[in-house]
Amino acid sequence: MQNEELLASIKRVAKQDRFQGHDYYNMDELLTDEQKMARDAVRDFVRQEVSPIIEDCYERAIYPRHLVKGLADLGAFGPSLPQKYGCAGTDETTYGLMMQELERGDSGVRSAASVQGSLVMYPIYKFGTEEQRMKYLPKLASGEFIGCFGLTEPDHGSDPSSMITNIKEDGDAYILNGAKMWITNSPIADVAVVWAKDEAGIIRGIIVDMDTKGVSAPEIHGKLSLRASITGELVFEDARIPKSQLLPNVQGLKGPLSCLSKARYGIAWGAIGAAMDCYDSALRYSLEREQFGKPLAGFQLTQKKLAEMITEITKAQLLTWRLGTLMDAGKATPAQVSMAKRNNVHMALTIAREARQIHGGMGITNEYPIMRHMMNLETVLTYEGTHDIHLLITGMDVTGLNAFK
Ligand code: TGC
Ligand code: FAD
């Protein structure tokens, strides 16, 4: 559990964060001034608040909860939701750029923002009543409340439609039973958006206040990835949830899946941030480190690695910027989002592995961010739909044949 003493013990290092963004195809020319300002504000926040503490948090598996206030002040929680609910009302590209910068800092920090915004606030906004929106959204936007999203179960991960968590009517309430697994932020959450089957077997979303009797959230320990993020279970034992907490405006798996489309979109941008950080570090290291009397960057094999890295980053930037414009126009399909999530996370993981090689032995230390990004990206490759699930989504989209059933 995260207590104040633990948070106060987080070490701040004075080491300079020398990251600079990479923009080989002048992508900045495609961005508005507002988009660039939002990106740069998050970049500064990461430099000042995340970089100095992240290695210590990662090593000791501490979720830097004190960052929540700063993230809220940046508008990182649900930035594209309306201002009426305490959000910034930005476009989707701005949201993406913010996720890119946060994941440049650490995938766990981006996770904190994308779960809160896309998986908790978005369903309440999209599928909730006005009363539910007013009750929860301002508090989630300001960071007063932490939210979590319960879809995955111990025996139902890639196939959430087989879930067994359920609600049964009892007077003015639903009785919720079941268990969710691998839930980001559940041990520290104030509120959970939980997906459960009703008595007709239809998947419904319900907002659960975490202090409800019969609700618990044991922490999952022993993660060797995403260590600066807190993960737990959600256990429901005859938890009595008022009927007014049901999200009335969606039924079926498309409810949680449409939230995932938003979050996967953010991950597509986020992965570019992690990749840029690895590339940036590898480029600098290879120019400064000499072997055989010249910089590593002067060897053809190193140049091959660096040239392939910046090529893949640039392709991902173009793909993702275009996806952002489709999102803003309301035209992006879930399959297009899947392609970008899958491509970009794999691209970032490949770059992290190559960057690790360029750093030689130093690459395995926490002097450099590489190994931390690499370990984090193993989770990112799996959550929000695994690498192979997204491949099958693309396969189904282009062939019209469903390989899942
Ligand atoms: P299927 O029959 O294909 O679809 C059911 C209904 O949903 C619709 N749909 C979508 N709607 C919106 N957005 C999407 N992305 C959608 N994908 C499908 C679909 O049109 C259909 O609608 P309708 O009206 O006909 O009912 O469902 P299926 O059971 O065959 O499953 C398909 C599959 C395998 C692709 C899906 O189950 C899937 O994506 N599985 C992966 C599970 C997953 O991604 N879990 C993520 C858990 S949350 C998480 O990881 C958070 S990490 C947080 C962090 O820290 O950042
Ligand atoms: P499985 O579904 O058991 O898959 C195992 C392997 O089998 C994978 O390689 C998969 O690709 C493959 N596979 C499965 N089906 C097929 C198929 N049809 N064809 C080919 N291969 C297949 N979930 C939430 O609901 N909320 C959260 O906040 C959340 N946060 C997470 C945080 C972390 C750190 C992690 C690790 C996970 C989180 N998840 C969360 C859960 C995550 O979404 C699941 O781990 C993911 O969907 C995969 O499910 P699984 O782990 O059960 O793997």
Side-chain angles (χ1 to χ4, degrees):
M1 206 17 136
Q2 305 252 309
N3 56 36
E4 293 308 318
E5 208 179 323
L6 187 65
L7 293 179
S9 75
I10 294 172
K11 284 194 219 96
R12 242 188 120 84
V13 294
K15 195 174 69 181
Q16 198 193 348
D17 174 357
R18 295 161 75 194
F19 172 78
Q20 54 186 55
H22 294 275
D23 182 16
Y24 199 72
Y25 261 44
N26 303 338
M27 297 286 296
D28 266 18
E29 290 177 8
L30 298 172
L31 303 179
T32 64
D33 288 344
E34 289 76 17
Q35 289 166 345
K36 283 183 276 193
M37 270 169 55
R39 178 199 59 196
D40 294 346
V42 180
R43 188 170 289 179
D44 288 348
F45 174 82
V46 167
R47 201 185 297 283
Q48 285 159 26
E49 303 299 335
V50 178
S51 299
I53 59 159
I54 196 64
E55 298 299 346
D56 187 45
C57 289
Y58 196 85
E59 195 174 326
R60 295 198 287 143
I62 301 173
Y63 169 58
R65 192 179 178 167
H66 67 283
L67 296 181
V68 166
K69 170 81 173 66
L71 290 169
D73 290 347
L74 283 168
F77 298 142
S80 57
L81 297 182
Q83 294 178 346
K84 178 180 174 191
Y85 305 111
C87 306
T90 68
D91 57 29
E92 296 294 346
T93 301
T94 303
Y95 163 60
L97 287 163
M98 293 170 92
M99 297 304 115
Q100 170 186 290
E101 295 305 314
L102 290 180
E103 193 141 4
R104 199 288 286 183
D106 190 77
S107 301
V109 177
R110 194 268 309 137
S111 255
S114 52
V115 167
Q116 183 100 340
S118 296
L119 298 181
V120 181
M121 296 170 70
Y122 175 74
I124 294 174
Y125 169 68
K126 187 78 180 165
F127 308 127
T129 61
E130 189 57 19
E131 197 184 353
Q132 290 169 340
R133 292 173 177 172
M134 293 312 289
K135 180 174 171 192
Y136 290 105
L137 294 182
K139 286 186 173 152
L140 287 159
S142 69
E144 183 184 338
F145 274 7
I146 304 267
C148 67
F149 174 87
L151 179 65
T152 305
E153 298 189 353
D155 293 329
H156 308 283
S158 297
D159 178 21
S161 74
S162 302
M163 69 172 67
I164 55 173
T165 297
N166 61 83
I167 48 172
K168 290 193 169 60
E169 281 192 62
D170 183 30
D172 61 354
Y174 291 105
I175 306 300
L176 174 62
N177 276 292
K180 299 288 178 181
M181 181 75 175
W182 295 117
I183 308 304
T184 299
N185 279 349
S186 73
I188 56 163
D190 301 284
V191 59
V193 168
V194 176
W195 301 92
K197 283 185 177 160
D198 67 14
E199 282 155 284
I202 297 169
I203 294 174
R204 304 300 305 261
I206 192 158
I207 310 170
V208 176
D209 290 328
M210 291 297 290
D211 57 5
T212 306
K213 189 164 169 265
V215 177
S216 57
E219 186 174 347
I220 295 173
H221 295 284
K223 281 185 302 162
L224 299 180
S225 171
L226 221 71
R227 286 174 62 76
S229 168
I230 186 162
T231 317
E233 299 172 46
L234 283 171
V235 181
F236 309 112
E237 294 166 302
D238 288 330
R240 194 176 173 83
I241 316 295
K243 279 188 171 163
S244 59
Q245 296 293 93
L246 190 78
L247 295 173
N249 299 325
V250 75
Q251 296 193 4
L253 194 60
K254 65 175 175 291
L257 288 181
S258 56
C259 308
L260 289 173
S261 276
K262 284 281 261 188
R264 291 166 176 172
Y265 166 73
I267 289 177
W269 279 98
I272 297 174
M276 275 202 289
D277 204 31
C278 293
Y279 168 74
D280 183 66
S281 183
L283 179 61
R284 191 176 314 106
Y285 187 85
S286 67
L287 287 166
E288 291 173 0
R289 168 88 175 164
E290 292 192 359
Q291 289 293 290
F292 300 98
K294 67 175 186 180
L296 296 176
F299 296 108
Q300 286 185 354
L301 286 176
T302 312
Q303 289 187 8
K304 177 175 186 292
K305 288 185 176 66
L306 293 168
E308 285 176 351
M309 284 183 200
I310 192 62
T311 304
E312 291 308 314
I313 288 171
T314 304
K315 282 156 64 181
Q317 285 171 328
L318 286 161
L319 175 80
T320 314
W321 175 83
R322 174 62 185 152
L323 183 63
T325 60
L326 289 172
M327 291 283 281
D328 278 324
K331 290 194 206 155
T333 66
Q336 287 170 332
V337 174
S338 282
M339 180 185 281
K341 189 268 182 184
R342 178 176 183 275
N343 179 77
N344 291 8
V345 177
H346 188 257
M347 172 278 299
L349 191 51
T350 306
I351 285 178
R353 288 172 179 155
E354 293 286 295
R356 212 290 303 151
Q357 285 197 62
I358 290 178
H359 287 75
M362 289 310 290
I364 70 156
T365 71
N366 64 5
E367 277 291 299
Y368 296 91
I370 315 297
M371 201 73 185
R372 178 171 49 79
H373 282 309
M374 194 196 301
M375 299 292 271
N376 281 339
L377 287 162
E378 290 291 345
T379 285
V380 185
L381 197 78
T382 287
Y383 71 21
E384 305 255 10
T386 70
H387 188 65
D388 285 345
I389 290 297
H390 288 295
L391 175 98
L392 294 175
I393 291 172
T394 307
M396 180 161 60
D397 200 44
V398 297
T399 64
L401 302 174
N402 186 340
F404 295 109
K405 288 170 181 159

